[in-house]
Amino acid sequence: MKSNSLIIALILLFFSQFTSAQGINVAVSEKAKINFSGMIQTQFNYSLDNDIDITGKHHTGPEHFSRNSFSVKRARVQVNAVINDRINAVMLVNFGDFTGNPQNKVLENAYIKYSVNDYVNFQFGQFRPQFGQEDNYPVDFVRSIDYSNQYYLFGSNSWQSFQIGVSYFGEIKGISIPIKYAIGVFNGNNRNQIGDNDDGKIVPARLVFGLGKNTEFGVSGGAGKNMGQKIWAYGADIDYKKKLNEKWDVEFVSEYKQGINSVAYFAQEDPLIPINRYAMRGVYLQPNIGYSFKNVRLKKMEFAFRYEYLDADFKQEGNARQSCIPMVSASFAEAYAIRVQVGYLIDRYQRNIPNTTQYNTDRIICQVQARF
């Protein structure tokens, strides 16, 4: 926590200099520059069920809980220091984490990137491993309300979200099927950890193939050790984007993943079942249709629908979760700088478990976003 506090204090020191403008460049030397940027996401959540709170948790007791609430989901500030033509350093913090338990949170990105050319690039520090389509874009560009449930489950198992380690990546262009590639080595115990809790590491890798002008096909795979136990995961995804004309565009994203749920395994006090019986898998499909305006204020309307199936323990009892999120969004500036979204979250479980979040729920979520 001391390191987080120091970082936050340093950013606050500069905060007054960049809140009134977008991306101020501060000269550090003849070649080095520092660029500040940020993003704010606010939400209003409303549960349509009398016994379900805004987090999706079911209640049978007399305790008080909220069925509707405003919140600041993310309040991010990013610092990007371009040191020279090959090296830059990035730091990203989320002040929205202070609204809950900030332990092992707040600091998201903290890495140094060294680029030689298109083929040879290295990253050191804390960042998101390349292990799926959702690692390729920040959350403010997500076509739905948030990342998928799959992303957060595999993130808690160290394959996605923010991890500490090193990565090598690049891209081969100028061939019939362009290829992007990445491989890394990570501690495997998630973000903001002072040290590792064992000698085990995870090694995720990814290949993305450009199949024509509008389609990308990606495959991911990884293996490693966690507290002496062998773990693995793999997945595949497809991303199709096409601009039909100057007004209409479409996009379709789908992704499948499967792997060992080591979090569930180590949550048992005395696990007797082998770790390979703790298995997770999921798939989601998300079409998106966009309509652009020439209006000075309203730039674009988008209509998205995400269907997701996720089972965190499919080889044993399991409790499969199916989610549907129809959503409409309106952008009032380019690149989602000002964006308003309204989504209807429908969750259905294989079986309801009282007094937990594994319970059927219907919620309405309104999200307002500003990027600067």
Side-chain angles (χ1 to χ4, degrees):
M1 289 299 297
K2 289 183 179 179
S3 60
N4 281 350
S5 299
L6 177 60
I7 291 167
I8 294 165
L10 289 173
I11 290 177
L12 286 173
L13 182 63
F14 291 107
F15 192 76
S16 61
Q17 300 181 38
F18 64 84
T19 51
S20 61
Q22 178 176 346
I24 293 177
N25 293 323
V26 181
V28 177
S29 67
E30 290 184 359
K31 293 185 178 181
K33 290 184 179 180
I34 296 180
N35 178 269
F36 293 94
S37 60
M39 183 270 284
I40 297 173
Q41 275 184 350
T42 63
Q43 279 191 355
F44 175 74
N45 282 259
Y46 182 81
S47 173
L48 298 175
D49 303 287
N50 293 329
D51 51 357
I52 305 290
D53 66 22
I54 58 170
T55 67
K57 183 177 179 181
H58 176 252
H59 296 264
T60 58
E63 68 271 17
H64 292 284
F65 60 90
S66 175
R67 289 179 51 235
N68 65 87
S69 179
F70 295 97
S71 64
V72 177
K73 187 171 180 63
R74 292 178 176 89
R76 284 175 163 175
V77 175
Q78 177 168 290
V79 183
N80 184 359
V82 180
I83 299 171
N84 58 36
D85 60 339
R86 290 192 174 184
I87 301 174
N88 70 297
V90 175
M91 184 169 62
L92 173 66
V93 295
N94 180 17
F95 293 104
D97 284 333
F98 283 113
T99 59
N101 179 10
Q103 186 176 5
N104 296 330
K105 296 181 181 178
V106 184
L107 180 64
E108 295 184 334
N109 277 331
Y111 64 84
I112 298 169
K113 179 181 175 183
Y114 179 77
S115 300
V116 178
N117 51 41
D118 290 340
Y119 313 103
V120 181
N121 301 272
F122 297 94
Q123 234 168 247
F124 308 84
Q126 180 170 291
F127 51 92
R128 293 193 292 176
Q130 286 291 305
F131 202 76
Q133 184 60 255
E134 293 179 287
D135 291 316
N136 293 328
Y137 40 74
V139 70
D140 32 324
F141 284 90
V142 171
R143 296 296 192 269
S144 191
I145 288 291
D146 203 347
Y147 291 120
S148 66
N149 302 317
Q150 176 192 121
Y151 171 86
Y152 287 109
L153 178 60
F154 278 77
S156 66
N157 280 272
S158 304
W159 298 108
Q160 294 190 274
S161 191
F162 302 98
Q163 308 295 332
I164 301 175
V166 58
S167 178
Y168 165 73
F169 61 96
E171 182 177 4
I172 303 174
K173 302 177 181 178
I175 56 178
S176 57
I177 301 179
I179 301 174
K180 300 175 185 176
Y181 49 86
I183 186 169
V185 180
F186 297 85
N187 285 341
N189 57 342
N190 297 314
R191 60 175 172 166
N192 298 347
Q193 301 292 333
I194 296 175
D196 206 350
N197 59 352
D198 70 337
D199 288 333
K201 296 289 182 288
I202 65 166
V203 182
R206 178 168 170 80
L207 292 171
V208 179
F209 303 92
L211 305 180
K213 182 180 176 182
N214 305 309
T215 308
E216 286 189 338
F217 174 70
V219 290
S220 304
K225 274 193 173 184
N226 188 354
M227 301 296 289
Q229 298 290 329
K230 293 181 179 179
I231 58 175
W232 51 262
Y234 63 85
D237 54 86
I238 189 164
D239 188 347
Y240 173 83
K241 298 177 184 177
K242 186 172 183 179
K243 190 169 180 62
L244 302 177
N245 51 48
E246 62 178 18
K247 291 185 176 181
W248 292 96
D249 62 82
V250 295
E251 180 177 0
F252 176 80
V253 178
S254 181
E255 189 165 4
Y256 172 86
K257 284 198 190 74
Q258 183 170 323
I260 298 295
N261 191 341
S262 58
V263 171
Y265 174 80
F266 289 113
Q268 310 303 310
E269 291 185 6
D270 186 20
L272 300 176
I273 301 173
I275 194 171
N276 59 12
R277 295 293 299 168
Y278 290 83
M280 55 186 178
R281 67 181 176 189
V283 62
Y284 71 85
L285 304 93
Q286 183 174 300
N288 185 81
I289 300 173
Y291 183 85
S292 299
F293 295 88
K294 292 183 179 180
N295 191 301
V296 176
R297 299 294 181 183
L298 180 60
K299 300 295 183 183
K300 190 174 186 179
M301 293 287 296
E302 289 183 278
F303 308 90
F305 180 89
R306 184 169 74 209
Y307 167 78
E308 180 173 8
Y309 175 92
L310 184 66
D311 195 335
D313 190 17
F314 71 89
K315 286 189 177 181
Q316 297 186 82
E317 293 184 8
N319 191 17
R321 174 184 184 181
Q322 296 186 71
S323 302
C324 295
I325 309 177
M327 194 196 74
V328 60
S329 68
S331 300
F332 295 92
E334 299 295 338
Y336 295 156
I338 300 293
R339 187 186 192 193
V340 179
Q341 301 168 272
V342 179
Y344 181 26
L345 173 59
I346 306 166
D347 266 338
R348 295 293 181 266
Y349 285 89
Q350 186 176 336
R351 65 182 184 280
N352 285 327
I353 302 177
N355 297 308
T356 72
T357 56
Q358 296 184 46
Y359 209 92
N360 294 348
T361 179
D362 297 84
R363 283 179 284 161
I364 294 175
I365 301 175
C366 179
Q367 183 165 276
V368 180
Q369 169 183 299
R371 299 174 62 247
F372 53 90

